[in-house]
Every structure is written in structure tokens, then in C-alpha cells.
Amino acid sequence: MSGAELAVENVTLRFGGLRALDAVSFAVHPGSLHALIGPNGAGKSSCFNVISGLYRAGEGRVRFGEHDITGIRPNRLAKRGIGRAFQNAALSPQSTVLDNVMLGRYSLTRGGFLECGLQLPWVRKQERRHTERAAEICEFLGLGAALHTPAGALPYGAVKRVDIARALAVEPALLLLDEPAAGMNAAETAELADTIREIREELDISILLVEHDMGLVMGIADRVTVLDFGRVIADGPPAEVQSDPEVVRAYLGTDSSDGTEAG
Amino acid sequence: MSDRTDTLDVPVAAPSPKPRRDLGWWIRLALWLALFVVLLALPLYLEAQWLKAGQYMMVGAVGAMGLTLLTGQAGQLSLAHAFFLLAGATSYTVLSGPTGDPELVGFGLDPLLALVGAVAVTAVLGLAFAPVAARLRGIYLGVASLALVFLGLYLGQSAESLTGGTSTGRPPASFELFGFPFSNEGELEILGVPIRETERVWYLFLALVVVAFLLARGAVGGRIGRAWRAVRDNESAAAAMGISVPGVKAGVFAVSSAYAGLAGVMTVLWFDILKPDESEFGTYGINVSIAYLAMIIIGGLGSVSGALVGAVLVNGLPQVLALYSTDLGWFTGTGENAFTPILISSFVYGAAIVLVVLFEPGGLAAIGRRIAGLTRRGKDPT
């Protein structure tokens, strides 16, 4: 599963005169949990959007394994083995948990209106096989009891896990998590940290975690890249980065309430 | 909040990936089968005029199922349904029409082939609208699609070699299945009841409704249905899961138009004449587009069986009222201010929409689910 490295090479992104990203480079090693952090407006989300194909970098490249995925269309990511979870979860609230997670199997399955409508034998078989796998993933994330519950009826922490389950249903080699702890209280964040750690230990995939919450990141990441004003100001293991004077200045100097705030 | 999270974490023995076939499932299956049997038996008991009314409900059912897939499942508001109805009706009449008529275009195809062809033509027309559908959403898409109804009105009037024009119209070929005519030709009896044109068309329509229903249910429950709902609820999430959003939108427009096209074929077989409208209100006018929206809103957006019930109410009411009026002597007035069955039923379904929007936005489907939920032993969410 692992083996492909995500490499962000010299990516520069301009919005008019503003340099949202300035020659940003870092690499997510196969099987590692890499965190991308920074104060508000540091360019985390811009960087995330460049990787996931929403923004096109002015300069530089994004590579995944041997494939150049710079400016890839977002709907090609899943095929390349990249799963993505959303900051706002972005689920279908009326659909069941299982139905939401099954959406992740879209690029692994086939069949259009007629095939689905006619319930051809191979479609039914495919559906059964993938439903089992989706249920397994839900079980793994502690959603086993809620398979047939509409996603909109779940508490926030569980909604986030459904979103992560859907991203995992893509069978990704790399999981992109966009500020998963946003809007969570301390207990929920701790639970989320456990979930992420478990995914990393059990599934042997790389995770790129874009996060605001320092506490969450420092506890679980293997490696941390810190952005400030669109530039990489530190890159290394959490302990090293934490004591970096420039990182301390960026965090304490611009927004002191950062990371301790409970959603 | 946290204790609710805890209850979800409690591992439950063997989570079933598929909803278990519980009591409610068997009851529902039994009810569907019972309904089907009743519908099969009705022509043996009902008079032709009641069968006609039932057929009109079935026309609505097919069209409404198509619209609920598009608007309810995939979230694309469309007021163009009447246009696709007209397109289907015209295509069938032209494809099956006699060749060699100096004024009317006809291809002389076998009626079954013409029906399939008409559905295909409308699907392609729906696909042709896809570039617009991909760029607009919500009410803007609704307004843009409304333009198609006016285009249909104009084309219906001006393309007289296809439609026969507003004054005379054009009779469609009566349907035939491998040589078996859906008309009064030939002798056929079941249990001593002669099966003539009305009864035959009833069974034809019933078969079409069942096929359309099963296809829609299968699609909604499968991969493509999930893609529709994903596009409706969040386009970027849909894309991240590998869905080509413009492609899925185009596809669902084609599917919905094909359903409308089939409903159009049924319309023209029901009236036994293709007659384009003289104004924007008529058989293929704005009022029809709105009636179809009413059906799916009353039935519950996105619910296939809800669309069936909505069609029975919206298309059935004026028919049934008209039949009763002759018995009861109602609606005897004529002229502009008369209370016609159509007017009365417009009031009724208008009121039904208001009630649905105010008290049960999920429509009749949500009420049905709640009743079904009573039969299920609940670990359902509250």
C-alpha cells in the first residue's frame, strides 16, 4: 500500500500581488504521519488546495510516487490513491452512514444508470463485496452500530469519523486530512487523535494532516512542517520543531490564543 | 453530547452491512405485490372511463419518477419536464408515422422501435442541455430550463410537418407489440371480460410503470444514486471521491429526460392525438412542468414511491372529479369563471404543497417512513 511519496517541490502560489505560498517544499514519506501547521493565514489551506487540485500552482510541482499530480483534476485524486477528508465533513445528511462511506468506493466500482437500475448479477455481487468492505471500515472507526443511521443524526465527533471512513473507503495510499479538529472540544479532539493514531498503526498508509491545533499535532505526528506567511519556517520531528525559536515567535507573536482554544 | 458518542462506540454483535429483512421489509414487499395484483385485476372490474383516469395517473407516475431523480436525488431543479414530454410525444409520432405523406414526416417504424427511439431522442436532448446544467444551479437552472418549454411551444406550432400543427394535430400510430395490437382489433377475453383497447393500454402502461419504477429504485439504491446525492449535497466532496460532477449532472439530465420522453409517448397514446399547445398552458405547457414539480414535492423529493403517490393525486384528481361531476351534477358552469375539475384540483394540490412545505418537508415519503418505522423495533435514531 505505502511506497509512494508525496513531494511538494518549490510550490509558489500568487493571488494578485499576494504570495500565498512562496517556494514551499516538503515531502511526506511513505507510511508517515506528516503534519502541516501554521498560524491563521499561513497558507496551510492554500497548500492543501494545491495538493488536492483545487488551486493551480504558479510555479513548482506536486509529485505523488512517480506521477506528477500538479493541477490534477480533483476527481482524479481517488484513482491515484489519495483519499481526502473535509474540514466541514461534507456528508449527505439524509443518507445513512453506510451509504456515505460507500460513496468512497465510487472510483473502485463501475456501473451507470442502466446497470444499477437493472440490478445485473455482477452489479449485485460488486455491491455486496464493497458494502462488506465499507462496513468493515466503519467498524474499524467505531461506527459499526451506526451503519444505518442517517449521517445527519450523529454527534459531531462521529460525523467526522464518517468523513474519515469515507476517505479510507477509497483505499488510499495517502490520506489528506483538512483541519479535522476544527470545531471540536478537548474530549473530541483527544478521541480524534486516537482515531488517527489507530489508522496510521493499522493501515500502513501515509497521512498528511493540516491542522491548527498544536496539541493534537505534537502528540501524534512523525514529522511537522510549519508554514508562516507562505514560507516553510521549520521542518522536522515535533520535538525539534516545538523548540524552534522561529516557530515559537510565529505562534506566540501573531495569535497567542492559538491551539488552546476549544471549539 | 459526549455520552451520545459513547453509546455509538459500544460494539454491537455482527453489524449487518445490509438492513436486515425484518418484519417491515416483508410487510412492504407484501403490500407492493398486493397493489400490483389489484392493478392487474382492475380492468376486469372497472369501466373504461375509470381505466382512462388510471392510465393518466400512470403517465404522471413515469414522468414524476424521472423528475424526482433529477430534482430530488441529484438536486437539479428543472422546469423543462413538459418540453421533454412534448419531445417524446413528437418523436414517437414521427418515428411511427406512415411514410410517404406529402405534408407530414414519418419513418414508418415499428411502434415498439418508435417508443424506444423516442426515449433515446429525448435522452439525447436532455444531454444536449447538459452544458447549461453544468454551469447553473438552483433557481437559475430552473429559470433557464423553463426557456425550453417556450422553445417547445414555438417549435410545436411552427414545425407542422412533424407535429401536425395546432389546428388539426396528428394521430399517432396505435401501439403494437410483436404484432399484437393495443387497439380494438382482434378478440381477447379474460374471465369473460372482453379486453379491448382501454384494457390493453392499461396493461401496457402498467408494464411501463413497473419497468420505470424498478429501474429507478435500482439506480437510487446503487452506485449511480450515491453519485447523484453526492452531487446534490456537496460537489467538492463528490469530486474528491472520484465523481466527475459535470458528467453525473449530464447523465441524470439524460435519464430524467428519457423518463419524460416515455411519459410523452404515453401521453400521446392516451390522448390518441399529438396536438401542440396554442398557448403556454396546455398539455405540454408550464402548468404541466409545475404539476410534475407538485407531484414530487407532495410525494417527497427524491422518493420514487412518493413520486407515484404524488402522480396519483395530481394527475388523478381532475380526472376523478370530472367523472364524479357527471354523477353528482357538479361543475355544470362553463366559461371563464366556472369551477372546472382542473381548477378545483389545482387548488387542492396547491394547498397540499403548502401543507407539505409547512408541516412535512419530506413529503408523503417521510410520513410513510415514519409509519414503516413503527413496525420496526427501534434502534433508529431519535
Side-chain angles (χ1 to χ4, degrees):
Chain A
M1 281 288 281
S2 63
E5 182 190 65
L6 176 78
V8 175
E9 295 167 354
N10 265 318
V11 165
T12 298
L13 179 73
R14 290 189 190 80
F15 292 122
L18 177 79
R19 271 177 190 235
L21 295 173
D22 190 356
V24 169
S25 296
F26 65 92
V28 181
H29 299 298
S32 73
L33 203 171
H34 195 113
L36 182 63
I37 65 169
N40 283 329
K44 301 184 300 283
S45 293
S46 299
C47 189
F48 193 84
N49 286 335
V50 167
I51 295 168
S52 54
L54 252 53
Y55 295 162
R56 190 174 275 273
E59 288 156 40
R61 300 197 310 148
V62 182
R63 220 164 28 74
F64 184 58
E66 65 243 40
H67 299 288
D68 189 338
I69 60 165
T70 321
I72 189 175
R73 269 193 282 154
N75 63 327
R76 297 292 166 87
L77 281 177
K79 266 240 151 64
R80 284 261 175 273
I82 301 179
R84 184 190 162 170
F86 288 79
Q87 193 172 339
N88 55 354
L91 302 175
S92 292
Q94 294 104 329
S95 302
T96 62
V97 166
L98 189 61
D99 202 52
N100 271 292
V101 175
M102 277 296 281
L103 183 66
R105 310 299 286 182
Y106 186 83
S107 55
L108 298 170
T109 48
R110 43 192 58 264
F113 172 75
L114 280 179
E115 290 94 332
C116 291
L118 291 171
Q119 297 270 296
L120 299 175
W122 66 264
V123 172
R124 301 175 81 122
K125 210 170 137 205
Q126 164 185 278
E127 185 82 5
R128 211 174 310 127
R129 207 153 38 86
H130 287 267
T131 305
E132 268 164 29
R133 178 65 182 143
E136 226 174 87
I137 292 169
C138 289
E139 183 76 349
F140 173 67
L141 287 171
L143 294 162
L147 287 185
H148 304 299
T149 308
L154 294 176
Y156 191 62
V159 165
K160 283 281 187 174
R161 274 180 287 150
V162 176
D163 186 28
I164 294 173
R166 184 175 63 180
L168 287 177
V170 169
E171 304 290 349
L174 170 67
L175 177 64
L176 302 176
L177 296 176
D178 187 8
E179 304 215 13
M184 281 189 168
N185 61 32
E188 285 169 330
T189 305
E191 200 184 311
L192 177 77
D194 285 341
T195 304
I196 296 175
R197 200 177 293 129
E198 226 167 282
I199 292 170
R200 169 177 152 43
E201 276 161 16
E202 304 275 326
L203 300 182
D204 189 29
I205 61 177
S206 327
I207 300 176
L208 176 63
L209 170 69
V210 173
E211 190 46 77
H212 206 72
D213 188 314
M214 280 282 251
L216 172 67
V217 164
M218 293 308 171
I220 58 174
D222 297 312
R223 203 177 168 85
V224 179
T225 301
V226 188
L227 286 180
D228 191 26
F229 292 113
R231 285 179 308 111
V232 176
I233 56 170
D235 191 343
E240 206 176 285
V241 165
Q242 211 161 7
S243 52
D244 189 303
E246 203 164 344
V247 175
V248 173
R249 179 147 31 84
Y251 262 83
L252 298 181
T254 53
D255 188 353
S256 56
S257 68
D258 235 30
T260 53
E261 206 173 2
Chain B
M1 181 150 181
S2 58
D3 55 5
R4 281 186 65 192
T5 319
D6 290 344
T7 59
L8 281 160
D9 284 335
V10 174
V12 173
S16 60
K18 280 223 164 251
R20 238 168 272 131
R21 295 195 167 173
D22 52 11
L23 183 62
W25 187 88
W26 288 106
I27 292 178
R28 280 200 297 281
L29 183 69
L31 286 178
W32 279 119
L33 286 178
L35 175 66
F36 184 64
V37 169
V38 168
L39 290 176
L40 278 180
L42 276 182
L44 307 179
Y45 300 101
L46 285 186
E47 309 219 352
Q49 49 188 359
W50 287 96
L51 291 180
K52 260 323 226 195
Q55 287 168 10
Y56 198 59
M57 299 179 203
M58 295 199 257
V59 173
V62 171
M65 282 190 273
L67 192 62
T68 210
L69 297 182
L70 178 68
T71 304
Q73 287 283 326
Q76 311 292 302
L77 177 63
S78 167
L79 285 167
H81 226 51
F83 167 76
F84 294 113
L85 237 63
L86 175 63
T90 310
S91 306
Y92 173 78
T93 314
V94 169
L95 289 174
S96 65
T99 49
D101 191 310
E103 288 179 8
L104 294 172
V105 181
F107 291 94
L109 292 182
D110 178 77
L112 177 62
L113 217 58
L115 181 138
V116 175
V119 171
V121 166
T122 39
V124 169
L125 282 176
L127 215 51
F129 189 67
V132 179
R135 283 170 176 75
L136 298 172
R137 65 183 73 192
I139 191 71
Y140 303 102
L141 178 58
V143 171
S145 63
L146 187 59
L148 285 182
V149 175
F150 287 92
L151 186 69
L153 176 69
Y154 168 75
L155 288 176
Q157 288 171 353
S158 56
E160 287 193 3
S161 60
L162 298 176
T163 63
T166 50
S167 53
T168 59
R170 178 178 183 183
S174 77
F175 196 74
E176 251 177 52
L177 195 61
F178 307 117
F180 176 77
F182 286 79
S183 62
N184 286 331
E185 277 171 49
E187 292 287 319
L188 185 69
E189 273 190 12
I190 299 176
L191 299 176
V193 180
I195 301 299
R196 296 167 64 78
E197 176 172 351
T198 321
E199 289 83 6
R200 293 176 194 182
V201 171
W202 170 279
Y203 288 120
L204 171 68
F205 280 16
L206 186 58
L208 292 175
V209 169
V210 168
V211 169
F213 177 77
L214 291 177
L215 279 177
R217 285 284 285 247
V220 165
R223 174 181 187 261
I224 191 73
R226 283 190 291 273
W228 289 339
R229 292 186 289 278
V231 165
R232 174 191 71 191
D233 291 329
N234 194 307
E235 290 189 10
S236 42
M241 298 302 131
I243 293 166
S244 155
V245 175
V248 165
K249 280 186 180 176
V252 71
F253 244 100
V255 168
S256 164
S257 317
Y259 270 78
L262 181 58
V265 176
M266 291 162 80
T267 305
V268 82
L269 288 173
W270 188 79
F271 279 110
D272 216 4
I273 189 152
L274 169 66
K275 199 163 171 299
D277 295 334
E278 285 167 33
S279 74
E280 56 269 43
F281 296 96
T283 319
Y284 311 102
I286 302 177
N287 54 325
V288 173
S289 282
I290 291 173
Y292 276 101
L293 272 184
M295 292 175 204
I296 66 169
I297 291 171
I298 292 171
L301 281 175
S303 161
V304 178
S305 14
L308 294 181
V309 183
V312 167
L313 292 180
V314 172
N315 261 9
L317 205 56
Q319 299 287 325
V320 171
L321 282 179
L323 286 175
Y324 267 123
S325 69
T326 44
D327 288 352
L328 299 174
W330 294 358
F331 316 128
T332 42
T334 48
E336 253 181 46
N337 298 319
F339 273 113
T340 61
I342 290 180
L343 189 65
I344 299 235
S345 41
S346 303
F347 282 134
V348 172
Y349 75 68
I353 292 178
V354 173
L355 289 175
V356 161
V357 170
L358 280 182
F359 298 113
E360 186 52 275
L364 293 176
I367 297 174
R369 268 195 294 276
R370 206 169 303 145
I371 294 170
L374 295 178
T375 65
R376 212 173 302 149
R377 286 172 60 241
K379 58 179 166 95
D380 279 317
T382 44

